Each structure stands twice: as C-alpha cells, then as structure tokens.
Amino acid sequence: MKTKLIKSLLCPLLVTGLLLAPLPGLGGTSVSAASISAKAVTANKQQLQVIVDGKKLSLAAPAYAEKGVTCVPMRDIFTALGASVTWESKTETIIGRKGSISVSLKVGKKDAVVNGKTVKLDAPAVVRKGVTFVPVRFISESLRATVKWDSAANAVRITSPEAAELAEYEKWQEAQKNLPKLTSTEIVNKYDESVVLIMTNNAQGSGVVIGENLILTNHHVMADAASATALSIFGDEMKITGVVNYDADIDLAIIKTEEPIDLPAVKVGYGLNSRKGDKVVAIGSPLGLQNTVSDGLISNITYEGGVRYIQTSAPIDHGSSGGALFNEYGELIGITSLGYSNTNADLNFAVSIMHAAILKGAATEAQIKDAKFLPASLPETLVGAPLTDIQKLMADQYSSLQTTEGTASFAKWEVNRDSSGWLVLTADIDPLYYMYYGPATAEELRIWSINLGYELHRMLPDEKIQVLISFERDYGFEPRGLEPGEVSSIGGGKWRVRYPVIDMQLKDQLHIKVRD
C-alpha cells in the first residue's frame, strides 16, 4: 500500500474563532489579536485524519464527521483496504469486492447489503460536490478490518486483516526467539507415548496421536489396507476403524481408532519454525523396532509437486513411514515418509506438518463419524477373469515403481497362457533406467517382485504364474559378452538386445531371480 499525504481540513473551532472576532473598525490591535487567537485555536486542535495500517491516507476530498459518523471518499477507503469498487451512476449504487466479501450500498439509503444480507447503517452514503462519501467504520468492518477512534490524534485508525495477520506473525516470530531448546532426551520423554506402531493386513508403519481417537500417518501405510491396529509403547492394541481424511498426493492420512486413545495428543501446527541447519529428532518404528529414536539436522527444505518436504539427516528406514519429526523446541514439524538407501549421506524426507494441519482442519464431523478403509486398488479375486482384464490390471497398477534412484517404468504388459498351462505375464523395463540404475536398485526390484507375487497368489491362488520383466534395446553394433539368444540381428545393421531382468515364478512357493 502506497503512503499518501493527508490534505488539510477546515477546523470547526477556526470558524468559531472567526465568528467571535471583533468587527472591522474597532481598532487594528483588536483585529490582530483576534487573528492570533484563531491561529492558536487552530494549532491546538489537530486535523481529522484517517490512518490505515499506520499510514496517513491521502483523500480526494476532506473527510467529515456528522452525528458521530465519519465519512470519507468511497474510492479512497476501498482501495486502501485492497478492495475493488464500482460506481453505478444510474442507480447511484456503490459495489465493493474483496475476495469472498461483497458490499453494496446506495446513496441516501440507510440499508446496505453485505454478502447477500441486509444491514442497517448509522449514516447513508452521500454525494458532495461530485464526490461520493461512505461511512468509514461500516466499510472497514465489512472488509474485516478493525476500527478505533484515537481522540488524542483526532484520527480514525484502521487495521486491515492482512496487517493484523502480519503483526501476529511478527509477534509469533519474536516469541520463537525466547523458546527454550530441548535435549533429545527431553523430547523423547515428552512425546514417546504419542508415537505408535501401525500394523495393517498389508504393511507396517508408524503414526502420531493427534486427537482423542485420531492418528496421523502416511497415506501409503493405509493404502489397500482392509484392517489395522495401532500399538502403543505400553503394549496396548487399538483397533483402527478407518480413514477420516487423506490426500494421496501429499501422502498423508488421518485414521480413527475404535475407542478413545489414552495417550497425549501432539499439537498439529504449521511447522513454520523449521530452518535449514536446525537439529531434529525422529521417532518411529523402522523395521518394526518400535519407537526407535534418531537425531540429525534439517539438511534442506524442498518443494515438489506443491508438497513441502523437510530433508533430514536423522536416519529412518522401512516402517518409519508415518513417524514423527520434532524440532529442537519440541514442535512436530514433519511426518517421516521416505529416504534413499545405499547411501552414506542419510538422505531422508518428511512431509511438512503444514499439510497435515490443512488436512485436519478440513476433516468434518461426518468424516470422523463415518471413517472407513480406503477402496482397494486391487480386486479380491481374478479367478475366472479374462486374460485381457488381468493385462489391463497390470498396466493400470504395475506400470511404475518409485525407487531411491527415480522411477522405474514397466511397459508393454501382456498376459498369455502357455502350452504347459502357466499364466505368463510379461513387460519391458525402461532400458535407460535399467542401464543406469538397475544394479543399484536390484534389491528394490526384488522387493517389488515379492509384493507382486503375494498379490497375484492372493487373487489367483490355484495358478502357476510366471512374471518376466525384460530389458530390450536396439544397437547399431553387435554387443558382445551376452548369453546365446540375448542378441539378435534385426536387419539394416541393427542388433537387438533382450534378456530377462526379473524372472518370478510361483504357485504354493515363490522363486525369484533378479539380474543385477
């Protein structure tokens, strides 16, 4: 908002002084004294001012007060408060808008409309010498500003909601400077009880108690879960009845327990007190080791796809998903979600708690009451399903794998039954990904294969199944050192390399070979 200088106003006391001055001809001395007296009165009485967010407002015409109501030019006050204003000359109607707020009033009418509701005015809008005036308090308060009368300064002081929020934030920032820092032991003593282990029928993760019967965790912990329990550090099992609210893109979910949780809830704020280089403490259940504590630093704060991530050197592992990340002031700032393996850099990430605050704030009473598990992404059974349906399912649900080195894509899914009665599922892995990262992510590809085999056996329990994921790439030369049949001429001086990267076979047992 630009600073503007206020124009001079005619002081009523000056008029009074002039009316009481002696008439001309009674002596020059008397006239001179009267003039001095009027100037003195004017100096003692300050001019009427309108101050918005601490700055004097420049007005197109002088403001005036009448019967206790201060009126100012309409365009000046609307603009100063960040609102647009329209003047409809035919109906003499003023329409102001700011965000979701709409204000309209007519000249000479003591009724106005705010967001569709009629309200009474202490004074109507008026037109004086071509300038439209509006009651300043009504307009300001309708736009969610606060108004105070400063008698000492003879001023109307207006604080916009934006300025009020900024002042509150600055006050909060100042308070943060005086917050006591806690040791890792103090943070654990304060919050260890509030972190739980979550076990679903598909996976194991962690969670943070945030309400009487609410737990915050990662979405991927609850994905495809049909049942779940939460385990406290005291060994108490709490049945989960479903998901209250979730966002798959930010990988967060709020789940509900059947009975109230007799554990302290952690406050969910916006995690603004997070700075690169600050110390942090993580509590979760990596590999099922319940409420394991680790510490480190905030290595970075990044954004990806609209999600704010806190990168930390505090070690986490499989099973830490949904765990808590606290700053050195004991504030929950993130939910531990993912990390890179096979690295010495401790590259781990937590979803910023600000997303959880929004998710919790959006949860309705109906969602809490009617919490249920998320729809399954895979069917209960594929017995009797056409091969085309199985092929479509594989393309829809198993087209990619997010690894520590990036995304491995699987394309050209085909499903056939061979002469021996085996159900054979084939696909090709992204050749560039495999060339660069195949060996480094061989273990992750193996785990993916194991999970795929588990689901296929669940949906097709009586089938003999083989899954072949192959590398295929064409070259302008004949590569050497490969097994017979892995290189073939395709004409035109081109050679095709093709070999299986993953060979998984299953029925009542599982056999997997991953080429690294």
Side-chain angles (χ1 to χ4, degrees):
M1 187 181 300
K2 295 181 178 179
T3 303
K4 300 180 180 179
L5 298 176
I6 190 165
K7 294 184 178 179
S8 299
L9 304 179
L10 178 63
C11 177
L13 288 181
L14 173 59
V15 178
T16 303
L18 291 175
L19 290 175
L20 295 177
L23 293 175
L26 295 180
T29 303
S30 298
V31 172
S32 176
S35 299
I36 295 172
S37 175
K39 291 178 181 179
V41 171
T42 302
N44 290 332
K45 180 63 176 179
Q46 298 182 45
Q47 298 171 339
L48 177 62
Q49 303 175 77
V50 178
I51 301 174
V52 177
D53 295 338
K55 300 176 182 178
K56 294 180 181 179
L57 186 61
S58 178
L59 301 173
Y64 68 90
E66 192 170 274
K67 296 181 179 179
V69 178
T70 301
C71 294
V72 297
M74 68 166 188
R75 198 168 301 279
D76 295 334
I77 188 60
F78 276 106
T79 302
L81 291 173
S84 63
V85 62
T86 302
W87 166 254
E88 294 185 354
S89 56
K90 288 185 178 181
T91 59
E92 293 192 319
T93 301
I94 303 157
I95 302 174
R97 291 187 178 88
K98 181 181 181 181
S100 61
I101 304 172
S102 175
V103 182
S104 66
L105 59 164
K106 290 186 176 183
V107 171
K109 302 291 184 180
K110 278 198 172 185
D111 291 333
V113 179
V114 179
N115 285 352
K117 295 182 179 181
T118 302
V119 295
K120 292 290 184 181
L121 301 177
D122 292 328
V126 298
V127 177
R128 291 188 175 186
K129 296 182 179 180
V131 178
T132 304
F133 288 81
V134 293
V136 69
R137 180 178 291 276
F138 165 74
I139 298 299
S140 302
E141 292 182 346
S142 296
L143 297 176
R144 307 293 188 265
T146 57
V147 182
K148 293 183 179 179
W149 171 250
D150 185 345
S151 57
N154 194 37
V156 177
R157 292 189 178 273
I158 302 168
T159 304
S160 68
E162 294 82 5
E165 289 176 8
L166 179 60
E168 189 66 25
Y169 176 66
E170 290 174 345
K171 180 180 177 182
W172 175 86
Q173 279 190 316
E174 190 63 30
Q176 302 313 295
K177 297 178 182 178
N178 301 318
L179 283 178
K181 293 183 179 181
L182 306 180
T183 66
S184 298
T185 301
E186 289 172 330
I187 291 173
V188 172
N189 288 339
K190 187 174 183 180
Y191 292 116
D192 203 19
E193 299 176 19
S194 304
V195 180
V196 297
L197 182 149
I198 296 175
M199 183 65 70
T200 77
N201 59 303
N202 284 331
Q204 178 263 311
S206 306
V208 183
V209 177
I210 60 170
E212 183 184 26
N213 59 348
L214 299 179
I215 296 173
L216 177 64
T217 187
N218 281 134
H219 173 269
H220 73 259
V221 172
M222 299 306 298
D224 292 318
S227 62
T229 58
L231 182 68
S232 75
I233 59 172
F234 305 110
D236 299 320
E237 288 191 8
M238 297 162 279
K239 182 180 179 182
I240 304 298
T241 60
V243 177
V244 171
N245 201 9
Y246 71 95
D247 190 321
D249 293 332
I250 61 176
D251 195 19
L252 290 178
I254 298 172
I255 58 179
K256 177 187 175 184
T257 58
E258 187 174 55
E259 300 294 335
I261 305 171
D262 188 21
L263 297 170
V266 179
K267 181 181 178 181
V268 177
Y270 283 88
L272 299 177
N273 202 10
S274 307
R275 294 177 297 270
K276 189 174 180 179
D278 281 357
K279 293 181 180 179
V280 289
V281 172
I283 305 177
S285 300
L287 304 179
L289 299 173
Q290 188 170 7
N291 285 39
T292 296
V293 177
S294 60
D295 65 1
L297 302 175
I298 295 179
S299 309
N300 211 344
I301 296 177
T302 61
Y303 291 83
E304 184 176 338
V307 182
R308 186 175 192 254
Y309 291 100
I310 299 173
Q311 181 184 334
T312 174
S313 62
I316 62 175
D317 209 325
H318 299 289
S320 296
S321 295
L325 186 70
F326 297 100
N327 64 12
E328 57 192 332
Y329 305 107
E331 298 169 326
L332 181 64
I333 61 170
I335 298 298
T336 53
S337 302
L338 66 154
Y340 287 89
S341 58
N342 300 320
T343 175
N344 295 322
D346 284 327
L347 304 176
N348 304 301
F349 296 84
V351 176
S352 172
I353 200 65
M354 67 180 289
H355 299 293
I358 296 171
L359 196 66
K360 184 181 180 183
T364 65
E365 290 296 328
Q367 286 176 313
I368 296 175
K369 179 182 177 183
D370 302 329
K372 55 186 178 182
F373 287 94
L374 301 174
S377 59
L378 298 174
E380 285 295 319
T381 182
L382 285 173
V383 175
L387 298 185
T388 52
D389 287 0
I390 300 175
Q391 180 175 317
K392 184 178 186 304
L393 177 70
M394 299 305 296
D396 290 344
Q397 299 296 328
Y398 293 96
S399 61
S400 65
L401 168 65
Q402 190 64 42
T403 75
T404 53
E405 301 294 346
T407 302
S409 299
F410 308 103
K412 300 179 182 179
W413 277 103
E414 292 186 7
V415 179
N416 296 286
R417 193 176 295 280
D418 66 13
S419 58
S420 300
W422 282 70
L423 195 63
V424 181
L425 292 70
T426 62
D428 292 348
I429 192 170
D430 176 5
L432 290 179
Y433 172 88
Y434 184 73
M435 289 296 295
Y436 286 111
Y437 308 117
T441 58
E443 188 59 29
E444 293 175 80
L445 293 173
R446 184 184 299 275
I447 293 172
W448 176 81
S449 303
I450 292 172
N451 290 334
L452 172 58
Y454 169 84
E455 293 295 349
L456 288 173
H457 181 66
R458 178 185 63 79
M459 295 183 286
L460 297 162
D462 299 321
E463 291 279 5
K464 290 182 293 184
I465 301 172
Q466 182 178 25
V467 177
L468 288 170
I469 307 295
S470 300
F471 168 88
E472 181 180 293
R473 194 177 191 194
D474 296 342
Y475 294 86
F477 61 94
E478 182 179 3
R480 299 187 295 179
L482 297 170
E483 297 296 324
E486 293 182 348
V487 182
S488 60
S489 173
I490 57 175
K494 297 289 186 179
W495 299 81
R496 178 165 295 164
V497 174
R498 183 175 178 84
Y499 54 79
V501 172
I502 299 172
D503 184 350
M504 179 184 70
Q505 303 169 30
L506 65 96
K507 188 177 185 297
D508 55 341
Q509 291 177 302
L510 183 68
H511 174 75
I512 296 178
K513 181 180 180 181
V514 177
R515 184 166 177 166
D516 57 6

